[in-house]
């Protein structure tokens, strides 16, 4: 077996020096010794220069591609039109058209074109009326002054499970360490339980957070608002005359008795488009809260509730401010997508 160290490809500068010395009458061995280049390499470069008049790499070097540019464009068109089409399906279609390539080659072609395989993002099922309402909302509010958004009290509910979903977590482990306790997620019947929370925030920070006992009905929702809304408005320093309450279109929120109760309060309610979690920045805080709670590994629902309140209070005001300062970008994104779901 050849144990000699493999040399790197010679630079253009070294190749030109070899030719210069050859033109000046130097022999192969002398050039080899002066430039520390094997004699055979010197001979090859000089011979190439005599035949082609250049020391640059010639076209056509390396293995020939299995697919030509036309086939590559055809593959890209297929997945651009149908992103869920698999490499095996593409292979079958190409085979029917007389082009034989492996599914591995197809995947490599797509990857080189920036079309990588990814899990599809989960988004709400938006019907035509939903898209229309989202578009109207965005166009109506896109030019609202920043002061308006700073006086909005954003509200929502979320459920935090006792044990995080395994697909939401990653561990770094070796091949034979899969079942070590530190690399596993506890699994219990019925998921170990969960707690529902109602919370709110504004540009100045997080407001009240309340756990929901049992199934929330419209009367329970009204009680939560009674106990927490004005307390949060005062805590967060919102303008008493111009603050606005945001809530989504959950049936408990839009129930007749809830609407009558809200009218009696004389609060200004932000008219909200259905199926629009991407327009509510509190969703980012919920995600942050859940990860913070799961990192503390609560062992029971009482601990989960305690940790949630503690972590909610720790969310920095700067984070809340950042979400509201960039809120207009959400509206612009909805307008650009013509009411469809956005990255937010």
């Amino acid at each position: 077996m050849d144990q000699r160290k493999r040399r790197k490809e010679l630079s253009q500068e070294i190749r030109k020096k070899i030719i210069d010395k050859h033109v000046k009458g130097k022999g192969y061995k002398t050039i080899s010794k002066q430039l520390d280049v094997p004699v055979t390499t010197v001979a090859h470069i000089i011979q190439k220069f005599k035949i082609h008049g250049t020391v640059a790499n010639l076209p056509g070097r390396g293995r020939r591609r299995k697919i030509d540019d036309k086939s590559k464009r055809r593959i890209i068109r297929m997945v651009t039109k149908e992103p869920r089409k698999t490499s095996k399906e593409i292979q079958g279609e190409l085979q029917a058209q007389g082009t034989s390539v492996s599914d591995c080659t197809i995947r490599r072609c797509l990857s080189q074109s920036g079309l990588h395989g990814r899990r599809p993002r989960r988004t709400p099922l938006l019907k035509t009326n939903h898209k229309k309402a989202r578009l109207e909302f965005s166009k109506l509010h896109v030019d609202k002054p920043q002061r308006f958004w700073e006086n909005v009290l954003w509200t929502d509910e979320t459920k935090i499970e006792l044990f995080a979903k395994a697909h939401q977590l990653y561990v770094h482990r070796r091949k034979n360490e899969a079942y070590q306790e530190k690399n596993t997620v506890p699994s219990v019947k019925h998921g170990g339980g969960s707690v529902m929370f109602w919370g709110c925030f504004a540009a100045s920070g997080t407001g009240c957070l309340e756990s929901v006992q049992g199934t929330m009905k419209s009367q329970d929702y009204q009680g939560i608002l009674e106990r927490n809304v004005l307390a949060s408005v005062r805590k967060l320093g919102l303008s008493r005359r111009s603050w606005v309450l945001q809530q989504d279109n959950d049936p408990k929120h839009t129930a007749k008795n809830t609407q009558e109760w809200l009218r009696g309060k004389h609060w200004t309610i932000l008219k909200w488009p259905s199926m629009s979690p991407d327009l509510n920045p509190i969703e980012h805080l919920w995600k942050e809260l859940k990860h913070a709670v799961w990192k503390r590994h609560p062992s029971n629902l009482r601990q989960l509730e305690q940790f949630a309140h503690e972590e909610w209070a720790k969310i920095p005001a700067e984070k809340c401010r950042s979400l509201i300062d960039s809120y207009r970008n959400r509206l612009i994104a909805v307008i650009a997508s013509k009411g469809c779901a956005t990255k937010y």
Side-chain angles (χ1 to χ4, degrees), residues 7-208:
R7 291 175 177 268
K8 293 182 179 179
E9 187 176 54
L10 291 183
S11 66
Q12 294 287 334
E13 185 181 357
I14 297 295
R15 297 180 195 186
K16 288 177 181 177
K17 285 182 179 179
I18 291 173
I19 300 302
D20 289 342
K21 290 181 181 292
H22 172 68
V23 171
K24 292 177 181 177
K26 301 286 185 181
Y28 288 8
K29 290 184 179 180
T30 304
I31 296 173
S32 171
K33 191 173 182 181
Q34 289 179 351
L35 298 179
D36 190 25
V37 176
V39 175
T40 53
T41 303
V42 171
H44 175 75
I45 290 172
I46 293 171
Q47 185 68 16
K48 179 180 179 180
F49 181 77
K50 288 179 179 178
I51 297 172
H52 300 286
T54 180
V55 293
N57 290 335
L58 299 175
R61 297 170 75 246
R63 183 180 175 182
R64 289 188 63 185
R65 292 191 303 170
K66 286 190 174 182
I67 52 176
D68 56 18
D69 290 338
K70 185 178 179 181
S71 298
K72 185 175 181 180
R73 288 194 298 271
R74 188 185 303 162
I75 291 170
I76 293 170
R77 278 198 306 270
M78 285 181 187
V79 295
T80 301
K81 186 177 180 181
E82 297 180 55
R84 297 184 185 183
K85 191 180 286 291
T86 66
S87 57
K88 287 285 187 184
E89 291 170 341
I90 296 172
Q91 182 187 29
E93 290 190 26
L94 292 176
Q95 187 79 42
Q97 296 169 5
T99 303
S100 180
V101 292
S102 69
D103 60 321
C104 181
T105 299
I106 292 168
R107 288 195 298 271
R108 183 166 58 249
C109 167
L110 292 172
S111 180
Q112 290 170 351
S113 302
L115 294 166
H116 306 287
R118 295 286 186 267
R119 287 183 179 179
R121 298 294 172 90
R122 294 183 178 274
T123 58
L125 178 61
L126 296 173
K127 298 180 181 178
T128 303
N129 60 314
H130 296 141
K131 296 176 185 177
K132 183 180 178 182
R134 286 163 53 82
L135 194 56
E136 288 176 353
F137 175 87
S138 300
K139 287 181 176 179
L140 183 63
H141 294 87
V142 71
D143 291 323
K144 286 279 187 183
Q146 186 63 23
R147 183 64 183 162
F148 173 83
W149 301 115
E150 291 172 355
N151 275 298
V152 174
L153 185 68
W154 303 90
T155 72
D156 194 23
E157 297 91 24
T158 194
K159 181 173 72 173
I160 303 181
E161 296 176 341
L162 183 59
F163 298 114
K165 296 285 188 183
H167 68 265
Q168 294 173 323
L169 300 174
Y170 292 90
V171 293
H172 297 282
R173 61 171 177 80
R174 301 186 188 281
K175 187 176 181 180
N176 59 346
E177 297 177 347
Y179 288 94
Q180 288 186 10
E181 188 174 355
K182 64 180 180 179
N183 296 327
T184 62
V185 176
S187 175
V188 296
K189 287 184 178 181
H190 314 298
S194 60
V195 178
M196 177 75 76
F197 292 93
W198 176 94
C200 63
F201 92 105
S204 50
T206 54
C208 298

